[in-house]
Amino acid sequence: MVKPKIGVYICHCGSNIAGTVDVPQVVEFAKGLPAVAVAREYKFMCSDPGQSMIKDDIKNLKLNRVVVASCSPLLHEPTFRRAVQEAGINPYLFEMANIREHCSWTTEDHGEATEKAKALVSAAVKRVYHHQPLETREVPVNPNTLIVGGGIAGIQAALEIADAGHKVYLVEKDPSIGGHMIQFDKTFPTLDCSACILTPKMTSVGSHPNIELMTYSKVEEIAGFIGNFKAKIQKKARFVDESKCNGCGVCMEKCPWKADSEFDLGLSQRKAIYTPFAQAVPNVPVIDKESCAYFLKGKCRACEKFCEREAIDFEQQDKTVEIDVGNIIIATGYDPFDPTPIAKYGYGKLPNVVTGLEFERICNSVGPTGGKIVLKDGSEPKSIAIIHCVGSRDENYHEYCSRVCCMYALKYSHLIKEKTKADVYQMYIDMRCFGKGYEEFYKRLSKEGVTFIRGKPAEVTDRAINDEEKGKLIVVGEDSLLGTIVRVPVDMVILCIALEARADAKNVAQLFSISQGADGFFIERHPKLDPVATMTEGVFIAGCCQGPKDIPDTVAQASAAATRVLALINKGKVELEAAVAVIDEEKCSGCRICNLLCPYNAISFIEEDEVSRINEALCKGCGTCVAACPSAAITHKHFTTEEIMAEIEGVLV
Amino acid sequence: MNNFEPKIVGFCCNWCSYRGADLAGTARMKCSPNVRIIRVMCSGRVEPIFVVKAFELGADGVLILGCHPGDCHYVEGNYKTMRRMPLLKKMLGQLGIEDERVRLDWVSASEGDRFVSVVDDMTAKVKALGPFKKNSKEAKHG
């Protein structure tokens, strides 16, 4: 090995580091560390002049190792690895000391911060001393993409990729694609009919030669890595042969059995053989075993008798198909918050307290009331209160703002005014109308005769205290602008419920090895600069599974995710991390402990040689086998025992 | 003993706890400077010998942080770490290292606040124990 010659570069990061850490002192300290040839400081090491300083030193001083002490390596490690590589050094002969996030930003006392920075620099210098040049591996990228979730996010991403000429598998758990957006009546602030703008996209998906639509299906298992995933998809039995059915609908007409419609949130009924809504894609019904008389009692089969195309197949079984894909986009959406636990608002007890999503269906011309805004008794309401932030901005439920409720509440006001003569009361905390055309929509609505009352209501009750309140729902709260208690008697109350992470988001996160935030939504790689990638290479997120958002933002994010996937497909290959594990077969005793530890089945026992061997393509470099090997026969490249021991010594200066 | 500032070696996994520590910084939360972090890809990489070595080289405590059980980026590496802990603790006890000087805990990428509270709590506990003094047995075998 050539004798290590290390250059150390300490970043001020403006005042982010230098405001707390005595940088000149750390530079002096670094100069005294073994094998350090040069130590310098600079205002912004990541800037062009900063990088040039490093490159020039590599050339002029013949440095063969570099340490940069600045921000988190998760931010700028790629920047500096590239810089040293451009100056002719293997990128793995570089190490970063995190003296910003882990030091200057978290430490109050300047002296303590400076001491900690010295320890972290010393650790990096001692570690880099032992670094070895490593070569990254290139693997081809399978051009097929798996998209999970057939709402507007999944639809948008699927069309972008398919239109670019690449194969997409779109997996949706429900019998039809469309997601929540197809349940909405109008969309704010333009008041476009939601179905009118979505169905053309849905039919494009259904007929696209590059899209293989798998509805009534779910992803069961994912194996592999970026560019080379293997997915197992479970297709639930529809009991209708998709290749024979032409969607004529006779089966649904003749079926005598009914159940609550999931699509209409239980406000109407559907048949036991059904498509969730008229424009379903695919337009192929499913038989719900739970409500079908044949499955429950062994007789009926009316649908079968009337189906001219003999598409009904009661013998159909669930089946699992295996597909190979290079990238995955997760667009699993959100669940609407269930307001039942907020007992004071009476949801579930008071008949005319409805959720926002239920109101969307009530408003919709093909919904349970044929688009008439009516009370449970069929009469038209004379007054309606809309309560904002139900489950959002509430420490008892969700601290976050759901971002869409103010706007859909305004939309409801407009729809109510259009269809009825009812008075409308908006009970809000703050009006948050931040998007394009949103503030204008708010202004417009305030001229349509809507009453705005600032303050979150305390309760909704049917206990009248005077004649005017008799037979009404009374919304009790404080008008915080006037500082008075108000009692507003109305006929109907709409709760603007929060958007929350899917109940099964944890399972999805585990399945795809991605992370969830405290609120359950999936975490993006960087909250500002990498909003669609995840910690797992080749797995992207789009839409409300990442956090509550409106349709324009969802579409933008879905297109962004598609673009990222297209870039990878276009490149055709991807570099894999070089930091994997290797077994020294001379030292391996063949005990096979490592075989069982590996979660990726990357280690197999070679019978004829009586040793274990690691498949580098499958190894993800966690190092668990390394720590467990009783013969110390496994080396974790870039995280060798020697390197980590040196780092331990370093932090303990 | 009041002025005693312990040195604690912190092993953080790349995916959850290291990011949690980063988040604490980004959010400018303040925490004791005593824990110095070494990044590993997975808490499962932390060999028992690393812990012993840390004490031999002058650490007063060792903190190992991984992803929450069930959330491991590598599926189940943190369970392997968890399984190793009782044996490691037993061995450390034989070396005269008090139980509270070594702690395995979980911090997710979104738990900057939890990172701070674990670090502060660990620092306070080790402070209360006082400096770690290597006994003769450990010095001989270390």
Side-chain angles (χ1 to χ4, degrees):
Chain A
M1 180 172 117
V2 188
K3 207 169 164 260
K5 212 171 171 193
I6 307 168
V8 182
Y9 300 87
I10 323 271
C11 181
H12 289 206
C13 193
S15 61
N16 283 310
I17 293 169
T20 316
V21 170
D22 183 345
V23 175
Q25 216 190 103
V26 181
V27 172
E28 282 314 304
F29 167 81
K31 281 180 182 163
L33 291 170
V36 171
V38 62
R40 297 184 202 273
E41 59 190 286
Y42 190 66
K43 234 177 176 39
F44 292 104
M45 282 314 307
C46 59
S47 67
D48 275 351
Q51 292 186 46
S52 301
M53 179 192 274
I54 300 172
K55 289 183 198 168
D56 290 346
D57 278 357
I58 291 172
K59 282 172 196 147
N60 301 334
L61 304 171
K62 308 261 181 295
L63 301 178
N64 53 23
R65 301 277 192 289
V66 169
V67 167
V68 172
S70 59
C71 50
S72 170
L74 302 176
L75 217 59
H76 269 310
E77 193 172 53
T79 313
F80 293 115
R81 275 187 177 173
R82 210 179 310 123
V84 300
Q85 192 169 23
E86 280 164 12
I89 295 186
N90 182 286
Y92 287 90
L93 297 175
F94 166 78
E95 179 65 10
M96 227 166 147
N98 184 344
I99 61 167
R100 193 179 73 173
E101 281 84 346
H102 292 186
C103 183
S104 69
W105 277 350
T106 41
T107 315
E108 212 126 29
D109 184 89
H110 291 203
E112 283 176 345
T114 306
E115 286 312 304
K116 187 172 183 181
K118 284 182 190 170
L120 295 175
V121 168
S122 135
V125 168
K126 294 205 160 139
R127 187 190 209 281
V128 84
Y129 187 95
H130 297 281
H131 281 200
Q132 294 295 323
L134 298 177
E135 295 308 324
T136 51
R137 302 158 294 151
E138 267 186 359
V139 292
V141 173
N142 182 318
N144 301 342
T145 304
L146 167 64
I147 298 180
V148 189
I152 177 59
I155 290 172
Q156 179 73 17
L159 288 173
E160 297 264 15
I161 296 169
D163 284 346
H166 302 287
K167 170 104 185 175
V168 173
Y169 297 95
L170 179 59
V171 175
E172 164 59 47
K173 66 174 183 357
D174 288 338
S176 168
I177 55 170
H180 281 111
M181 186 176 165
I182 198 68
Q183 288 179 293
F184 300 159
D185 184 40
K186 302 286 185 294
T187 56
F188 60 77
T190 51
L191 300 171
D192 290 301
C193 150
S194 192
C196 311
I197 57 174
L198 185 56
T199 46
K201 280 183 182 283
M202 287 165 60
T203 43
S204 296
V205 166
S207 60
H208 207 296
N210 289 333
I211 299 177
E212 187 169 332
L213 186 54
M214 299 163 126
T215 53
Y216 220 38
S217 302
K218 63 174 193 186
V219 182
E220 249 180 2
E221 208 180 297
I222 291 285
F225 50 92
I226 182 170
N228 302 272
F229 292 105
K230 273 194 188 307
K232 277 190 187 155
I233 317 289
Q234 193 208 39
K235 295 178 93 167
K236 271 174 74 178
R238 292 180 102 92
F239 306 108
V240 176
D241 187 335
E242 285 182 69
S243 61
K244 290 184 185 162
C245 173
N246 67 352
C248 71
V250 170
C251 53
M252 298 190 266
E253 211 174 282
K254 301 292 180 188
C255 173
W257 299 91
K258 286 182 176 174
D260 282 348
S261 155
E262 295 83 359
F263 184 73
D264 275 340
L265 308 157
L267 297 172
S268 72
Q269 292 209 307
R270 52 136 175 103
K271 295 293 180 67
I273 181 165
Y274 72 106
T275 54
F277 50 95
Q279 312 95 320
V281 173
N283 188 21
V284 177
V286 294
I287 295 178
D288 170 22
K289 276 173 103 171
E290 308 293 311
S291 52
C292 168
Y294 174 69
F295 283 108
L296 294 176
K297 297 173 188 163
K299 48 185 161 189
C300 179
R301 298 176 86 126
C303 49
E304 194 182 35
K305 283 174 208 130
F306 287 96
C307 181
E308 285 178 4
R309 299 178 71 96
E310 298 178 343
I312 310 289
D313 176 8
F314 286 102
E315 304 308 315
Q316 217 180 57
Q317 300 289 324
D318 293 357
K319 64 174 181 187
T320 301
V321 292
E322 221 177 285
I323 55 172
D324 292 328
V325 295
N327 292 283
I328 298 168
I329 297 175
I330 298 173
T332 47
Y334 68 94
D335 275 340
F337 172 76
D338 173 11
T340 316
I342 308 182
K344 60 185 183 176
Y345 288 158
Y347 180 76
K349 280 187 292 217
L350 301 171
N352 289 308
V353 176
V354 300
T355 68
L357 198 54
E358 287 167 347
F359 188 73
E360 296 280 358
R361 296 311 306 150
I362 292 170
C363 254
N364 196 286
S365 58
V366 294
T369 59
K372 286 201 186 83
I373 300 175
V374 288
L375 301 172
K376 285 277 148 74
D377 64 7
S379 66
E380 193 180 288
K382 294 188 183 62
S383 50
I384 298 178
I386 303 173
I387 302 180
H388 292 222
C389 302
V390 178
S392 313
R393 304 184 69 196
D394 181 336
E395 286 185 350
N396 299 312
Y397 301 98
H398 300 302
E399 224 175 304
Y400 56 82
C401 163
S402 289
R403 296 181 92 232
V404 291
C405 322
C406 285
M407 290 306 297
Y408 75 62
L410 290 174
K411 176 187 77 180
Y412 295 162
S413 296
H414 177 84
L415 297 173
I416 294 163
K417 289 280 174 196
E418 200 177 67
K419 294 187 173 189
T420 71
K421 292 193 176 66
D423 293 328
V424 181
Y425 299 90
Q426 296 269 356
M427 330 283 261
Y428 69 100
I429 306 178
D430 302 286
M431 289 306 296
R432 295 184 163 178
C433 310
F434 52 86
K436 192 172 181 177
Y438 290 10
E439 182 67 20
E440 294 88 328
F441 189 65
Y442 174 31
K443 282 273 148 62
R444 173 180 160 190
L445 260 294
S446 40
K447 286 180 194 140
E448 286 184 12
V450 178
T451 309
F452 289 86
I453 299 173
R454 201 188 82 171
K456 193 168 180 174
E459 82 174 313
V460 177
T461 175
D462 54 1
R463 289 187 299 276
I465 55 168
N466 55 42
D467 283 350
E468 192 204 350
E469 290 181 359
K470 274 210 183 107
K472 298 267 184 183
L473 295 168
I474 305 106
V475 185
V476 188
E478 185 196 348
D479 183 329
S480 62
L481 290 178
L482 298 175
T484 55
I485 301 295
V486 288
R487 291 177 65 90
V488 184
V490 293
D491 296 320
M492 181 189 246
V493 173
I494 304 170
L495 305 178
C496 296
I497 47 170
L499 275 55
E500 63 184 15
R502 287 274 190 199
D504 65 352
K506 195 174 176 67
N507 301 339
V508 175
Q510 286 173 3
L511 185 62
F512 294 95
S513 289
I514 59 174
S515 314
Q516 286 174 284
D519 48 23
F521 294 108
F522 301 139
I523 307 182
E524 60 282 7
R525 203 176 185 99
H526 190 279
K528 292 170 198 73
L529 303 179
D530 211 349
V532 296
T534 65
M535 305 304 181
T536 301
E537 300 275 359
V539 178
F540 301 89
I541 47 178
C544 287
C545 65
Q546 181 257 355
K549 56 180 66 68
D550 56 18
I551 296 166
D553 283 2
T554 296
V555 170
Q557 203 184 13
S559 293
T563 308
R564 294 290 295 273
V565 168
L566 286 171
L568 283 157
I569 295 172
N570 199 29
K571 204 174 170 199
K573 57 193 180 190
V574 64
E575 273 191 3
L576 292 188
E577 182 53 51
V580 291
V582 280
I583 295 178
D584 180 347
E585 291 179 10
E586 295 285 302
K587 286 189 193 162
C588 176
S589 66
C591 73
R592 307 188 204 185
I593 286 176
C594 56
N595 294 203
L596 297 170
L597 281 174
C598 180
Y600 304 105
N601 298 320
I603 316 178
S604 44
F605 185 69
I606 312 298
E607 294 286 350
E608 59 263 37
D609 300 329
E610 294 186 329
V611 290
S612 291
R613 204 168 286 157
I614 295 175
N615 178 346
E616 277 202 18
L618 294 178
C619 173
K620 299 204 180 185
C622 65
T624 301
C625 60
V626 187
C629 177
S631 314
I634 316 181
T635 304
H636 188 188
K637 288 184 190 173
H638 207 55
F639 289 88
T640 66
T641 302
E642 205 179 23
E643 285 162 356
I644 295 173
M645 291 288 205
E647 207 175 344
I648 297 171
E649 193 188 327
V651 290
L652 291 169
V653 284
Chain B
M1 203 57 80
N2 278 345
N3 296 329
F4 165 59
E5 286 298 338
K7 284 180 184 170
I8 300 168
V9 177
F11 292 98
C12 282
C13 72
N14 184 57
W15 307 97
C16 290
S17 48
Y18 194 90
R19 282 161 210 259
D22 272 5
L23 184 65
T26 312
R28 313 298 199 274
M29 297 171 181
K30 301 298 171 206
C31 71
S32 332
N34 307 64
V35 174
R36 278 111 201 237
I37 291 170
I38 291 175
R39 180 166 62 132
V40 284
M41 295 311 279
C42 177
S43 61
R45 174 68 185 95
V46 179
E47 292 182 37
I49 191 73
F50 294 169
V51 179
V52 177
K53 188 76 179 176
F55 285 107
E56 190 200 326
L57 291 172
D60 301 299
V62 174
L63 178 61
I64 304 166
L65 298 177
C67 310
H68 283 275
D71 289 346
C72 179
H73 184 79
Y74 299 107
V75 190
E76 50 194 19
N78 51 3
Y79 285 108
K80 311 282 161 60
T81 320
M82 215 191 295
R83 260 165 39 189
R84 251 173 233 152
M85 253 347 237
L87 271 174
L88 173 62
K89 288 249 179 173
K90 199 168 176 187
M91 180 176 78
L92 294 175
Q94 288 161 355
L95 294 172
I97 299 171
E98 296 94 327
D99 195 64
E100 281 186 314
R101 289 195 191 273
V102 180
R103 173 166 171 180
L104 171 66
D105 216 319
W106 320 115
V107 170
S108 82
S110 59
E111 292 178 328
D113 48 349
R114 187 172 157 76
F115 174 80
V116 169
S117 67
V118 170
V119 162
D120 284 349
D121 184 65
M122 175 80 184
T123 306
K125 286 201 168 110
V126 177
K127 233 179 209 183
L129 282 173
F132 171 68
K133 292 186 195 72
K134 282 185 276 183
N135 65 26
S136 55
K137 202 162 135 198
E138 194 244 348
K140 224 187 282 166
H141 296 291

